[in-house]
Amino acid sequence: VNSKLTHEKIAEIRAKSTMVKDDNDNDVNLDYSQPSDLYPESFPHFVRGRDSLREYLTQLFTTQIAIYDGAMGTMIQNYSKRNKLDEEEYRGDKFREWGCNVKGNNDM
């Protein structure tokens, strides 16, 4: 299998896999890697192999309206329960003057 991922759990699962060859008897590519020069530096979206995912997501979520999927919303709610976030921390600067509570407002 064409992969640079070598964690023991991943290797164990792959050893049990029946998906070893594709229809043309080639090794199955599980990495989906891209050459870092495939897209120009001005390309506005994340490029695997060139960009830092952490930096890209941080920049995206601090400059644009982002829609979280259910799992991300659940993670934020669980974080707030453990760390006791209050209304002011949910509001931040952007919603400081908002007319209703934003804590627990999952429709925002």
Side-chain angles (χ1 to χ4, degrees):
V1 175
N2 175 2
S3 178
K4 296 178 187 120
L5 299 174
T6 57
H7 189 275
E8 62 188 46
K9 289 269 189 194
I10 294 172
E12 180 182 323
I13 291 168
R14 286 186 178 157
K16 297 175 186 175
S17 174
T18 58
M19 189 178 82
V20 179
K21 303 282 185 179
D22 66 9
D23 294 338
N24 297 322
D25 206 33
N26 297 318
D27 284 338
V28 176
N29 183 357
L30 298 176
D31 278 339
Y32 305 105
S33 62
Q34 300 171 336
S36 60
D37 60 351
L38 182 63
Y39 298 98
E41 283 295 321
S42 60
F43 187 70
H45 305 292
F46 176 76
V47 176
R48 185 182 296 120
R50 182 191 74 189
D51 300 331
S52 162
L53 183 58
R54 181 181 302 254
E55 289 176 15
Y56 177 77
L57 288 177
T58 301
Q59 186 272 337
L60 176 70
F61 291 147
T62 56
T63 60
Q64 298 181 27
I65 295 174
I67 298 174
Y68 299 113
D69 69 1
M72 180 61 91
T74 302
M75 287 173 53
I76 292 171
Q77 289 174 2
N78 288 338
Y79 176 84
S80 70
K81 288 176 187 173
R82 285 191 306 273
N83 295 286
K84 306 294 185 222
L85 299 179
D86 60 13
E87 178 69 23
E88 185 177 296
E89 290 170 304
Y90 273 93
R91 286 178 179 272
D93 293 332
K94 189 170 189 171
F95 295 102
R96 184 176 311 277
E97 302 299 323
W98 200 253
C100 63
N101 289 341
V102 296
K103 180 177 180 177
N105 187 346
N106 299 327
D107 294 327
M108 287 189 77

